[in-house]
Each structure stands twice: as structure tokens, then as C-alpha cells.
Amino acid sequence: YGFCKGNNLCVRHAKGEYLAFLNNDTFVASDWLTNLVAGCLSENGVVLAASKLLCPHLENGRIVNAAGGVFFPVGGGIEEGYLEPDVPSYHIQKYTGFGCGAAILVEKRFFLDTGAFDEYYFHSFEDVDLGLRAWLYGHKVLYVPSSVAWHYMGGTGSRGKGSTPTLVFLSIRNRLYLLVKNYEVQTILKGIFLNH
């Protein structure tokens, strides 16, 4: 089913107010979930909390995989701190564009009311889309660095083989889809030109 539909099917059975999404190529600190919940409850309007993701296979787990995310005008976004050392600037709780879907907490009502994960994405950029939706609907996304998870990256999608032609295709297609789906015409035209 892919990441999107598989998770959407599971959400139908979830009973709580929040949904925790955690990839199968991650492991977490003992207070991972407690700190994510505290982040969501820390102020009104926060519907999504993002963990700090570290790479367990790089420099004894001290390299960042994601510390929140930034949107790009060409569509899509990039994880903040990607492959950088875990320096003090990544220890500060703050608003962020989106959270890497490998380890996030989302308010269930918001998730369902805004369409859940868009299943057209199948794999990649669905988390960027979700974060963008939160901001477009007037909500907030919070990066919670005290909620730590370690992410091997690509444990299912590439099965340890690095980038595959299918993943490259999905990455490009989904970045363009996110652009066309969510942005205004002026930005879409600029984004398509820059992508070309």
C-alpha cells in the first residue's frame, strides 16, 4: 500500500486524540512519545509535533537526519540540519514548516478533517504536504528536540540499496505534485521553471 495508504488504514482503528507515526527503521529514546505529547499540548493551535531525528549509523548517532523542515518555492521541502552535526542550535524547540514522517505526532481530528495522508504521494513528500496543510489551515507545527529518534533512512523504500529509479521518480513527481496541489499560479509557474 505504500506509506500513505498503509498509515491511513491504521488510523481507522486508532482511538486516541493523537496519532503517532513511527517508521520501521527507527528506534526512540524512552521519553520520545511523552515529549512529543508535551509539545502538542504546550500551546493552543499546535496540531503536529516533530521529533529530532538522528542517524544511528553516522558518528555514533550524533549526525542530524531532521530537525524540522523548510518549504521550497520549487515544491517540496528539505529537512533542517540534514547530515549536519547535532549542534546546540538543533536543541531549541521552535516552530517549523513540517516534520519528517518517520517520527511525528499529529492531532487525529486535524489529520482526518484535512484528508489524512494524500495517497497519491504513495512514498515521500506526504509529510511536507501535511505540514503545509497545518499552516494553510491556521495551525502550527512544532519541532520538539527533546523527543529524539534515530532513523536509518530508507529501511523499507530502498531496502538498504540507496536510491532506486522508482524512488527517484516518486521524489520528482511528488515534489511537482505538491507544488501544483498547494501553491498559487505564480509560484507554480516559477517552481516548474526552476525544476526544469
Side-chain angles (χ1 to χ4, degrees):
Y1 292 128
F3 182 86
C4 299
K5 184 174 182 178
N7 279 306
N8 287 346
L9 289 170
C10 291
V11 166
R12 293 181 190 174
H13 304 284
K15 301 200 182 336
E17 291 180 46
Y18 290 91
L19 304 165
F21 294 100
L22 188 65
N23 277 17
N24 62 351
D25 60 351
T26 59
F27 62 94
V28 300
S30 60
D31 56 357
W32 169 77
L33 186 57
T34 304
N35 291 338
L36 272 183
V37 172
C40 274
L41 298 177
S42 66
E43 61 180 278
N44 290 335
V46 174
V47 294
L48 195 156
S51 297
K52 177 195 289 186
L53 288 168
L54 300 170
C55 302
H57 54 293
L58 299 175
E59 295 195 27
N60 296 319
R62 292 190 304 267
I63 298 296
V64 174
N65 170 206
V70 178
F71 301 117
F72 280 164
V74 295
I78 189 167
E79 285 88 6
E80 287 190 64
Y82 184 69
L83 297 183
E84 295 178 7
D86 184 21
V87 296
S89 61
Y90 297 126
H91 303 180
I92 301 166
Q93 184 166 297
K94 63 177 183 170
Y95 296 129
T96 191
F98 64 94
C100 176
I104 55 173
L105 187 73
V106 184
E107 184 184 85
K108 183 179 178 185
R109 187 178 61 206
F110 157 77
F111 186 78
L112 293 174
D113 287 352
T114 60
F117 285 126
D118 184 336
E119 294 177 10
Y120 182 77
Y121 287 105
F122 185 78
H123 175 286
S124 77
F125 289 98
E126 72 290 323
D127 48 4
V128 183
D129 182 74
L130 184 66
L132 186 55
R133 248 185 293 150
W135 290 108
L136 290 173
Y137 279 82
H139 303 294
K140 300 170 189 169
V141 178
L142 193 66
Y143 164 62
V144 183
S146 60
S147 171
V148 179
W150 290 266
H151 184 209
Y152 281 99
M153 299 183 289
T156 298
S158 64
R159 290 178 172 76
K161 298 176 186 168
S163 197
T164 66
T166 301
L167 293 179
V168 171
F169 166 77
L170 287 171
S171 178
I172 294 169
R173 181 200 72 173
N174 292 353
R175 184 173 64 242
L176 292 170
Y177 174 61
L178 185 133
L179 178 71
V180 171
K181 175 185 174 188
N182 294 296
Y183 288 40
E184 296 174 333
V185 174
Q186 239 179 301
T187 308
I188 291 171
L189 295 174
K190 183 189 301 180
I192 289 173
F193 172 76
L194 292 172
N195 270 288
H196 180 70

